[in-house]
Amino acid sequence: MTSPILVTGGTGTLGRLVVARLRDAGCEVRVLSRSTREAEDGIEFMAGDLATGEGIEAAVDGAGTIMHLAGGPKGDEDKARNLVRAASRAGARPLVYISVVGADLIPVASRVDRAMFGYFAAKRAAERIVADSGLPFTILRATQFHDLMLTVAQQMAKLPAVPLPAGFRVQPVEADEVAARLVELALGEPAGMVPDMGGPRVYGAAELLRGYLRATKRRRPIVAIPLPGKAARAFRDGANLAPEQAEGQRTWEEFLADRVS
Ligand SMILES: NC(=O)c1ccc[n+]([C@@H]2O[C@H](COP(=O)([O-])OP(=O)(O)OC[C@H]3O[C@@H](n4cnc5c(N)ncnc54)[C@H](OP(=O)(O)O)[C@@H]3O)[C@@H](O)[C@H]2O)c1
């Protein structure tokens, strides 16, 4: 029997899609999650918390490739450090990590930067931890997923007038297309830092929101707010975009047509 592929974050938006694709490819899968779940066909769930380190050693024990897809708004560098430490102790295992486009280009220096864009600094720190681990690794940076943009749009549309950061653009990508790429990478040889992956089109933030408002037959005034700080400037300069790597096929409009009635 081959070793299972360990998927951290296998219960999340991206992770669930990755797990389904790994199963389709005939792989045994082990999912690390903070909550316990019943095993499913070919999927074993193990409880652990990457932030505290609890349960990680048992999760990496006997696993083959590790796909590290767990993440959150804060502390992704600590999660990566704890995982890498346990994986290194257990012996060399290839590690596949999902990061975000702009992790290396969005400077998070001041308190203002950190408050708004600390996520990017944490992803960059996590990338470094993976790359310096001595483990064979692959890192893919993706732009924002459609699902995240939908959540943001739903929250924003609750306001009578919607404030949006002036000059921000986004290039949303379908999470399942990122999942497909990650599975392809995990089943191949470790490749280091691979080319970024972005969605098919770049949208102004207001244009993206208007698409959502149109799809839900609503109107809202949109107010552009200039954001201070170097990180916000990098965003205005397009550091979060990958127009040369517009690999995604599914557009925001197609996603909305499916998800918003
Ligand atoms: N969303 C985007 O637009 C986007 C874009 C580029 C890159 N990414 C990256 O892609 C990854 C997945 O994003 P997503 O949107 O699919 O996330 P998500 O839906 O919010 O899911 C987060 C996952 O991380 C797990 N997790 C969080 N904290 C954990 C902890 N302390 N210990 C163990 N597991 C933990 C959760 O598992 P449990 O709750 O079951 O414990 C869940 O499976 C993240 O690394 C994110 O930074 C996301």
Side-chain angles (χ1 to χ4, degrees), residues 73-74 77 107-122 125 229-231:
K74 277 190 173 169
E77 69 276 49
V108 180
S110 66
R111 207 177 291 173
V112 170
D113 291 342
R114 191 156 294 283
M116 288 187 288
F117 302 100
Y119 167 77
F120 289 85
K230 288 188 177 158

Side-chain angles (χ1 to χ4, degrees), residues 101 141 143 171 196-199 202 238-247:
V101 170
R141 291 180 183 140
T143 55
Q171 188 184 345
D196 294 351
M197 181 166 182
V202 174
N240 60 315
L241 307 174
E244 309 297 321
Q245 302 294 335
E247 303 290 335

Side-chain angles (χ1 to χ4, degrees), residues 153-166:
Q154 284 167 335
Q155 295 304 319
M156 290 303 208
K158 288 182 182 161
L159 301 168
V162 181
L164 286 181

Side-chain angles (χ1 to χ4, degrees), residues 9 55 82 99 117 121 208 233 235 259:
N82 287 333
S99 186
F117 302 100
L208 197 85
R233 188 185 311 149
F235 249 84
R259 291 285 288 273

